[in-house]
Amino acid sequence: MSEGVACIWMRGGTSKGAFFVADDLPSDPGARDAFLLGVMGSPDPRQIDGMGGADPLTSKVAVVSRSSRAGIDVDYLFLQVFVDQPIVSDSQNCGNMLAGVGPFAIERGLVAGGDGETRVTIFMVNTGQTAIATLQTPGGMPRYEGDARIDGVPGTAAPIPLEFTDTAGSSCGALLPTGRASDVIDGIACTLIDNGMPCVVMRAADLGITGYEDRATLDANAAMKARIEAIRLQAGSLMNLGDVTEKSVPKMMLVAAPKDGGAITTRSLIPHRVHATIGVFAAVSVATACMIPGSTAAGLAVIPPGRRKTLSVEHPTGEMSCLLDLDDAGGIASVALLRTARKLMEGRVFA
């Protein structure tokens, strides 16, 4: 595609990447993925010949289209472009890039912005779930400047609350795919859970670490990462995900007691590199695990009282707060999080 393709580069939450209107990309998935690999410069550890930032968090793509589904404004397909492998994966959602979908849809005329505030209902194609983003839209266009702050992003921006009501079992078919709060894999207790993101939750101490190490220290621990990958490959089939050798799920979550006043401390692998923060849906899944008796997180977590609970999930560069509303049976009825987004570049991108 020597003439290039219209694209907006955006930061969504603690990630950033390319946002495309679906009709602007090749309709054939193979041709589309080849184009996206070229755009990002993959496979190459530096992604020197593309737009990717040599990190999974900056090698992401959102494909957005006007929806024909009742009650839905836009459909959103998330694609993870691997950095050092020729792989484009659609096996997961990305709740950070999700924060940019509403602004992008209005920028591109897929949704008409209201004067003041606009609610954009988004169907997440990867898992069949729905989210509602509430945007500030003075004059009908997205506002990016504001006072909201999220850890992992410098400065402030306009708030974008995201609401989720039907994330349980989004990829695995059930909140607890094995039906158990805890399973043992290679001698390690694991909670296999999917509340928007398939995750394997393990106690950091069981793997010989504290769970408070920085990202570089954990990334350099080759023996620990090899042990975690062996667990991940076995967990994939137990979670109804099949062979996950070349998939970006499940995410591997190491948890410890909170250190800075939150509910739980996390270190996450996504799945082979340690995350600088934590993904939106991964945070939701971990927060949910904290609420399940017998899970690997439950004995470590500090849970606030009340039917509406704000669980602060600590990560290497701060925290992410998950607001959980419980139903009459004590289950999780809905989840909301605060994200921000910013438009970085608009133009045409070349492969």
Side-chain angles (χ1 to χ4, degrees):
M1 305 182 74
S2 59
E3 72 278 11
V5 172
C7 173
I8 294 181
W9 220 267
M10 298 187 74
R11 175 186 64 77
T14 55
S15 297
K16 64 180 177 181
F19 286 70
F20 296 98
V21 174
D23 288 345
D24 291 338
L25 290 172
S27 58
D28 175 70
R32 178 201 65 198
D33 292 354
F35 172 75
L36 295 176
L37 287 166
V39 166
M40 291 296 182
S42 298
D44 172 47
R46 294 189 300 157
Q47 291 182 319
I48 194 64
D49 197 37
M51 297 291 291
D55 189 295
L57 302 183
T58 58
S59 190
K60 297 185 172 187
V61 173
V63 182
V64 185
S65 58
R66 185 178 284 109
S67 185
S68 60
R69 307 170 199 272
I72 303 294
D73 294 310
V74 292
D75 293 346
Y76 155 55
L77 173 68
F78 170 69
L79 298 171
Q80 177 70 62
V81 181
F82 282 46
V83 174
D84 55 359
Q85 299 180 62
I87 297 173
V88 178
S89 173
D90 65 356
S91 61
Q92 66 178 80
N93 278 326
C94 178
N96 277 303
M97 291 286 278
L98 174 65
V101 171
F104 173 80
I106 294 172
E107 292 267 7
R108 281 296 162 88
L110 301 176
V111 172
D115 188 7
E117 184 177 279
T118 305
R119 286 168 60 88
V120 180
T121 304
I122 304 163
F123 180 80
M124 296 177 282
V125 175
N126 302 72
T127 57
Q129 314 306 120
T130 301
I132 301 173
T134 302
L135 313 176
Q136 295 180 359
T137 53
M141 291 302 292
R143 170 184 283 154
Y144 297 104
E145 300 80 15
D147 298 326
R149 184 184 303 275
I150 60 173
D151 285 332
V153 178
T156 62
I160 302 178
L162 299 173
E163 303 170 41
F164 311 99
T165 58
D166 56 354
T167 52
S170 59
S171 296
C172 301
L175 178 67
L176 299 172
T178 68
R180 295 179 291 271
S182 181
D183 292 271
V184 177
I185 304 176
D186 286 354
I188 300 296
C190 303
T191 293
L192 311 183
I193 189 167
D194 172 17
N195 198 11
M197 178 65 69
C199 291
V200 179
V201 182
M202 302 168 287
R203 290 182 287 262
D206 292 347
L207 289 150
I209 63 172
T210 67
Y212 308 120
E213 292 85 353
D214 62 28
R215 185 186 190 192
T217 298
L218 293 179
D219 257 335
N221 191 338
M224 180 203 70
K225 290 172 70 175
R227 190 177 184 190
I228 289 174
E229 178 64 4
I231 293 171
R232 190 182 80 87
L233 295 177
Q234 295 174 69
S237 60
L238 293 173
M239 299 178 76
N240 304 315
L241 297 170
D243 182 358
V244 297
T245 304
E246 294 188 346
K247 293 182 179 180
S248 55
V249 289
K251 308 299 188 187
M252 308 303 284
M253 301 288 137
L254 310 178
V255 296
K259 185 179 181 182
D260 297 311
I264 194 81
T265 289
T266 62
R267 297 294 185 265
S268 56
L269 283 84
I270 54 171
H272 305 122
R273 296 176 66 177
V274 178
H275 203 312
T277 59
I278 188 172
V280 167
F281 291 110
V284 170
S285 290
V286 170
T288 303
C290 291
M291 301 292 298
I292 298 174
S295 78
T296 52
L300 300 171
V302 175
I303 306 297
R307 182 162 174 168
R308 168 170 284 194
K309 301 179 184 296
T310 299
L311 270 63
S312 172
V313 179
E314 300 174 359
H315 56 70
T317 54
E319 67 85 36
M320 184 180 298
S321 292
C322 302
L323 179 63
L324 280 61
D325 278 323
L326 306 186
D327 58 25
D328 292 337
I332 295 174
S334 66
V335 179
L337 301 105
L338 176 67
R339 296 282 85 189
T340 66
R342 187 167 81 88
K343 181 179 176 181
L344 302 175
M345 183 279 296
E346 183 172 4
R348 304 188 74 81
V349 69
F350 299 83

